[in-house]
Amino acid sequence: MTAHTGRATRPRRSVPALDGTWLRPGNPGYEQARRVWNGMHDRRPAHIVRCRSVADVRRGLRFAAEAGLPVTVRGGGHNVAGTAVADDAMLIDLSPMRGVEVDPAARIARAQGGCLLGDLDVATEPHGLVCPTGIISRTGLAGLTLGGGYGWLSRRWGLTCDHLLAAQVVLADGSVVEATERDHHELLWALRGGGGNFGIVTRFTLRLRPAVPVHRRTAVYELADAETALAHYRAFSGELSADLHVAGALKVAGQYGGHETWLPDELRGRPALYLTAVWFGAPGRAEAASEPLFAALRPAASTGGELSHRRLQSGGDHERPDGNRYFTKTRYLTDIPPQANVEMADSLAAMPSPLSSINFEYLRGAIADVPDEDSAFPNRDAPFIHTVSAQWTGPQEDAGNIAWTRRSVERLDPWSHTGGYVNYLVDEPADKVREVYGDARYRRLAAVKETYDPHNVLHHNQNIRPVTADRPAPPA
Ligand SMILES: Cc1cc2nc3c(=O)[nH]c(=O)nc-3n(C[C@H](O)[C@H](O)[C@H](O)COP(=O)(O)OP(=O)(O)OC[C@H]3O[C@@H](n4cnc5c(N)ncnc54)[C@H](O)[C@@H]3O)c2cc1C
């Protein structure tokens, strides 16, 4: 039990004893604890409660309420908008709470609220089980699940939030509830895609799936061939088996250290199109499953083979290191016709930083099969997702990279599908969240918010406002 009071920066109120650590500016560990993945967000909370228990979360909330401090919540600290941390606020940091228990017979995992995706994989792999999550293993499970959770396995089994069976939640008033299909059912519905609005989740109970053999094949095309290869990708996407997920990226080849040893030297440092096909079906059919795509236009380089689920899940980690500067914009697309391919290739040619990328994926499959009313997650029918992800290192390059990102997503406006993915919203107008969910779903979420956080204590997120916040004041 540790409580730092720090003589030089003595708080006005005495901080409660904790199972974890209480940090104030100037305390050892404060500078590290306030950092998030995106180096753009250099914020200084007034207090950081590094929680080790549910009781710590409650202590942090109570202290913030008494001191009148705004509250932020950190899971993995990976949100591109940096919502986990704010100046002069109380940061409730769950990152010390990374335990996972697996019940192999029930095919269930119970993961604490500060887990990273990799923590879950490490715990489930020995049991031959997996949970579909995102594609970078250092992302936080909490933020990803609460906003949805796309990944390699989504077309086969759905989103991470579709695997959320129950959640232990510390509500804004400090009470603790377990949201299940039976109790607090509406809260569980909202936690499946409605974001971090409704309480602080200290434990996620997740359904697991049997791990299947994984085969990955990556092909790289020169920029001159990109438009033709993209046209083949578009034609191929509509026929995909749910066992096959194909993701595309326009980026500079071989940029992220010595990882792509198979890449010929003449491609390195040049703009290129990557298509990566991951097969989860019968192992003997892996090559045949993606062959129509890759045979249509021979790539300049390719690689492939079987790999473990864990290696698949962490295979892209090195491409998004902590502390670099990031700006991301995402759109769903109805289609990627030839003119959209021209626009994407032109964006690549104009890309100011060689660390950036333009990514796209065909979705559907099990994502679209989940009944719409089962979760708050919207836009399940969106065919494609398009993400422009700028990454650079120097603050002097901020303006150029942000402008490039904006311009690159806007180029695809003519094929834009309604809504958006809440986990990638950054720098949007306040009403964007309502647009993402649509009016009816937003109203239902606002009613849940009214029940569980009527004073909008948890508002450093993609905020759902309680119903009463939008009601006109009664006449005096
Ligand atoms: C490198 C990278 C790769 C990504 N890949 C994918 C991907 O493959 N698929 C995908 O779907 N998304 C992906 N994302 C987006 C990701 O889902 C979101 O950024 C998500 O918010 C990250 O969760 P976190 O816990 O790390 O967030 P944090 O930054 O820790 O928190 C963000 C917000 O989540 C809420 N929150 C966090 N923890 C809790 C909690 N325990 N209880 C209640 N609310 C909480 C809070 O509102 C907080 O403001 C990726 C992001 C990055 C940076």
Side-chain angles (χ1 to χ4, degrees):
M1 204 178 283
T2 322
H4 296 279
T5 49
R7 222 170 269 162
T9 51
R10 194 177 181 83
R12 264 176 270 137
R13 295 162 192 274
S14 61
V15 300
L18 287 186
D19 299 319
T21 315
W22 197 291
L23 298 173
R24 297 219 60 210
N27 290 153
Y30 172 86
E31 291 301 323
Q32 181 62 31
R34 74 182 180 86
R35 283 200 193 108
V36 287
W37 165 79
N38 187 352
M40 293 276 277
H41 306 300
D42 182 18
R43 297 176 186 150
R44 304 187 67 80
H47 299 262
I48 302 176
V49 177
R50 302 207 72 225
C51 301
R52 289 214 169 272
S53 63
V54 171
D56 282 354
V57 175
R58 301 181 69 207
R59 289 171 184 130
L61 275 174
R62 193 181 317 126
F63 184 92
E66 287 168 6
L69 288 169
V71 171
T72 69
V73 185
R74 180 196 165 110
H78 260 229
N79 193 280
V80 71
T83 50
V85 62
D87 285 332
D88 305 320
M90 157 70 78
L91 166 53
I92 299 194
D93 178 5
L94 276 82
S95 57
M97 294 176 66
R98 290 173 56 185
V100 183
E101 280 172 19
V102 178
D103 179 341
R107 289 192 177 164
I108 279 174
R110 293 185 184 85
Q112 284 187 303
C115 279
L116 305 183
L117 305 185
D119 298 329
L120 191 58
D121 291 334
V122 167
T124 59
E125 186 185 55
H127 303 286
L129 296 168
V130 296
C131 184
T133 58
I135 62 165
I136 305 271
S137 74
R138 295 183 49 71
T139 308
L141 177 70
L144 179 122
T145 307
L146 295 172
Y150 287 111
W152 293 113
L153 281 162
S154 314
R155 284 177 40 74
R156 181 169 172 139
W157 278 318
L159 304 167
T160 314
C161 70
D162 299 330
H163 292 74
L164 183 63
L165 299 174
Q168 181 188 63
V169 190
V170 181
L171 301 177
D173 67 2
S175 57
V176 183
V177 299
E178 181 80 12
T180 66
E181 289 287 355
R182 206 194 57 198
D183 299 324
H184 302 282
H185 171 268
E186 198 64 2
L187 175 59
L188 183 65
W189 172 84
L191 296 174
R192 291 175 174 156
N197 274 284
F198 310 98
I200 301 178
V201 180
T202 42
R203 186 179 61 222
F204 293 85
T205 302
L206 294 158
R207 178 177 179 191
L208 302 177
R209 306 283 187 167
V212 289
V214 181
H215 187 282
R216 182 180 63 190
R217 199 171 168 192
T218 298
V220 183
Y221 299 87
E222 306 226 30
L223 187 55
D225 287 336
E227 286 169 35
T228 312
L230 282 165
H232 291 304
Y233 171 76
R234 175 200 188 200
F236 184 66
S237 296
E239 297 156 19
L240 282 188
S241 139
D243 285 337
L244 188 64
H245 188 106
V246 185
L250 288 147
K251 58 186 182 181
V252 177
Q255 268 308 293
Y256 309 102
H259 289 268
E260 295 169 342
T261 49
W262 48 274
L263 205 63
D265 283 346
E266 58 272 22
L267 272 181
R268 285 179 190 280
R270 294 180 48 192
L273 167 68
Y274 282 57
L275 292 179
T276 298
V278 182
W279 172 249
F280 301 102
R285 294 204 46 246
E287 294 281 341
S290 54
E291 189 55 21
L293 173 64
F294 296 126
L297 180 69
R298 284 284 155 205
S302 68
T303 184
E306 285 191 16
L307 72 169
S308 67
H309 178 77
R310 252 175 82 190
R311 269 200 56 211
L312 173 71
Q313 288 299 98
S314 55
D317 286 7
H318 60 279
E319 297 191 9
R320 301 280 187 268
D322 289 10
N324 277 357
R325 304 175 83 78
Y326 295 90
F327 190 77
T328 303
K329 286 271 178 197
T330 301
R331 293 272 161 91
Y332 290 124
L333 300 179
T334 51
D335 194 6
I336 44 169
Q339 188 54 35
N341 300 338
V342 173
E343 300 293 345
M344 284 200 282
D346 285 355
S347 289
L348 176 63
M351 193 166 82
S353 166
L355 300 174
S356 304
S357 64
I358 300 165
N359 299 73
F360 52 91
E361 283 167 82
Y362 182 68
L363 301 171
R364 294 269 170 90
I367 303 163
D369 291 343
V370 172
D372 210 33
E373 65 276 13
D374 282 8
S375 69
F377 189 82
N379 308 307
R380 287 184 180 273
D381 60 334
F384 293 95
I385 189 165
H386 167 241
T387 307
V388 180
S389 194
Q391 176 184 177
W392 67 101
T393 52
Q396 70 284 2
E397 298 158 36
D398 288 359
N401 281 286
I402 290 170
W404 171 79
T405 309
R406 289 209 176 101
R407 173 79 188 108
S408 300
V409 280
E410 284 164 9
R411 279 171 183 264
L412 298 198
D413 272 349
W415 306 282
S416 192
H417 185 277
T418 49
Y421 180 31
V422 77
N423 269 347
Y424 283 131
L425 293 189
V426 47
D427 194 28
E428 297 281 357
D431 56 357
K432 180 70 184 176
V433 179
R434 188 185 282 271
E435 184 195 319
V436 162
Y437 288 103
D439 273 342
R441 201 179 289 263
Y442 186 91
R443 274 199 302 275
R444 185 170 166 187
L445 284 165
V448 181
K449 180 80 171 173
E450 180 75 37
T451 305
Y452 291 98
D453 182 15
H455 303 295
N456 206 3
V457 171
L458 300 169
H459 62 270
H460 279 277
N461 47 35
Q462 307 305 339
N463 198 223
I464 309 278
R465 288 155 58 83
V467 174
T468 45
D470 289 331
R471 235 176 245 156

